[in-house]
Amino acid sequence: MAKTTPPVKLNETVTLTIDRIRQNGMGLAWANDAKTYPVYIANTMLGEVVDVQIIQVDKLSAYGALKNVLKANPERIDAKRDYLLEAGTAPLVNWAYPAQKKWKQSLVKDNFAAAGLTVQVAEAVTMDEQVPSYYRNKTVVPVKWQGGQLQSGFYQRGTHQLVPMVDYFVNDRRLDEVIVVVRNLLEKLAISAYDPDTGQGAIRYIMVRRGYYSKELMVILVSNEPTLPKQEEVVRAIVSELPDLTSLILNKAPKKDYVQLSADNETLYGKDQIEDTLLGKRFLIGPNSFYQVNPVMTEKLYQTAADLAKLKSTDLVVDAYAGIGTIGMSVADRVKQVIGVEVVPGAVADAQKNLALNGITNATYILKDAPEQFVEWQEAGVQPDVVFVDPPRRGLTPELIEKTASMEPDRVVYVSCNPVTAARDCALFKKVGYEIAGPIVPVDQFPQTAHIETVTVLKKKG
């Protein structure tokens, strides 16, 4: 076989034109006339002509670092936050917000087209702010001793070098303040931090959650070791410095287990959970609870899903991938009954607590894998009017789609955080007798990033 020579060399600087924007927000430019060898470049926009230094090369593609913009997209801005680009936490930060919205709308349409579906896509539902920022109610930040100091921030793409940060731009400002306070206290007490090069050290992450309405504050120290060094001193110092602290948790998650957060939590101070409100309902939130991170947009997301579902007071609703019950409980007062299913034991326990907390009597949550439960419901003659699905990024399984169709609901409301898998799954729903009804509605839960939520309603063909 003839040896293939890449058209670019490591460390050389080349001038390229951005041909498209990839799913992750990075620009793609072709390094050869045949358009067979792509170069991927962060912090670029469609149509821009850029000078790029090649930083990684293989047979099929290369990565480049932006050196100079020769011809800028008219919607490029300078947010003066290049450290966010270095860590990849806000890849669209130099895009004017209207450009972000427009690209995300086109991204959804392109993903569905790639799955063989021609769809209408509505304009994205967004936050009211002109430059949406400081919205996240949860953050997980790595810490590392670097240059003689305990640093917090995010790792530079593909390296073990921590990019120090104090302003994350997308977090609730109080979260950023708390990260710095806790990090400084750990540094003062000389607490070891996990080092990915040596595999040694105690603290891996500082995690913070805060109630948007309640203002209750939870700090979680994620540890590589089963015990926290100088635990009494650490607890005393943190409690003293954070007057709004509601809960301090030690999460024991050794790196060898390859999980960011384990289920092994020890409450060091205060409550095991914090509480917040969503669409008028109260929810208990623990360290491991799945709870959407943009509270303002979560209310808009669930309201959009409920409105598009055209719910009736006689409806039986199934809430699949129910988590702690947020979607089902948010619509419970609009329908006859909600039955939810979730495979994570802790989430079901939380959902049951949340039912009691809100005095909801027409909803039930069951611990089981959804496809299995759907078979049991079908055998029992259960026929829902509406099925809500809100899966993780990997989307639905073909089995779940098949079992959903076998229950013959009138409508399926698909809430997705990944338009690639949403499009794939909607194509499978089409094969089992469901068609997309009305436009797909993007909901921008994550401004400044490449992520977009979508709400798609599928209706049973007559």
Side-chain angles (χ1 to χ4, degrees), residues 116-324:
L117 300 171
T118 303
V119 296
Q120 295 296 313
V121 181
E123 189 174 335
V125 178
T126 63
M127 297 177 74
D128 297 332
E129 289 84 352
Q130 206 167 8
V131 183
S133 55
Y134 301 107
Y135 56 81
R136 288 183 62 100
N137 61 3
K138 169 192 164 186
T139 191
V140 185
V141 175
V143 291
K144 181 186 179 187
W145 283 94
Q146 196 168 272
Q149 291 182 295
L150 186 61
Q151 302 280 9
S152 55
F154 280 101
Y155 284 102
Q156 190 174 24
R157 294 173 194 252
T159 76
H160 291 166
Q161 184 70 20
L162 201 71
V163 179
M165 294 187 200
V166 293
D167 178 357
Y168 295 79
F169 194 51
V170 294
N171 293 339
D172 175 332
R173 292 178 192 271
R174 181 59 180 152
L175 269 59
D176 287 355
E177 294 167 359
V178 169
I179 291 290
V180 172
V181 168
V182 174
R183 179 204 68 196
N184 288 349
L185 291 172
L186 295 174
E187 181 183 45
K188 189 176 178 182
L189 292 168
I191 305 300
S192 67
Y194 178 78
D195 188 323
D197 293 316
T198 65
Q200 302 297 311
I203 303 298
R204 293 178 60 201
Y205 305 103
I206 301 168
M207 174 175 164
V208 187
R209 306 191 85 144
R210 187 173 188 242
Y212 178 75
Y213 293 103
S214 69
K215 309 304 181 195
E216 291 188 358
L217 179 69
M218 173 182 280
V219 174
I220 303 108
L221 301 175
V222 182
S223 177
N224 184 53
E225 297 175 358
T227 56
L228 178 62
K230 302 180 185 177
Q231 180 168 299
E232 287 186 14
E233 290 178 74
V234 170
V235 173
R236 192 161 52 243
I238 292 174
V239 171
S240 172
E241 289 294 317
L242 298 177
D244 51 342
L245 185 67
T246 308
S247 171
L248 178 61
I249 308 271
L250 177 65
N251 180 270
K252 301 160 190 178
K255 181 66 171 96
K256 65 179 176 58
D257 291 349
Y258 294 101
V259 292
Q260 187 179 61
L261 217 68
S262 76
D264 188 358
N265 295 298
E266 179 185 347
T267 302
L268 304 179
Y269 169 83
K271 300 177 183 177
D272 298 335
Q273 296 169 303
I274 59 173
E275 185 182 310
D276 204 18
T277 306
L278 187 66
L279 291 171
K281 302 292 191 301
R282 297 161 64 195
F283 291 94
L284 294 169
I285 307 159
N288 305 92
S289 297
F290 174 77
Y291 191 79
Q292 294 274 10
V293 299
N294 184 336
V296 171
M297 289 308 300
T298 299
E299 292 191 322
K300 291 189 178 188
L301 175 69
Y302 291 169
Q303 192 65 56
T304 298
D307 290 346
L308 291 175
K310 294 184 167 55
L311 297 171
K312 306 184 194 78
S313 60
T314 54
D315 281 344
L316 169 60
V317 169
V318 164
D319 182 8
Y321 298 92
I324 63 174

Side-chain angles (χ1 to χ4, degrees), residues 47-50 68-73:
E48 291 189 326
V49 180
V50 292
N68 190 28
V69 179
L70 303 176
K71 178 188 170 189
N73 184 298

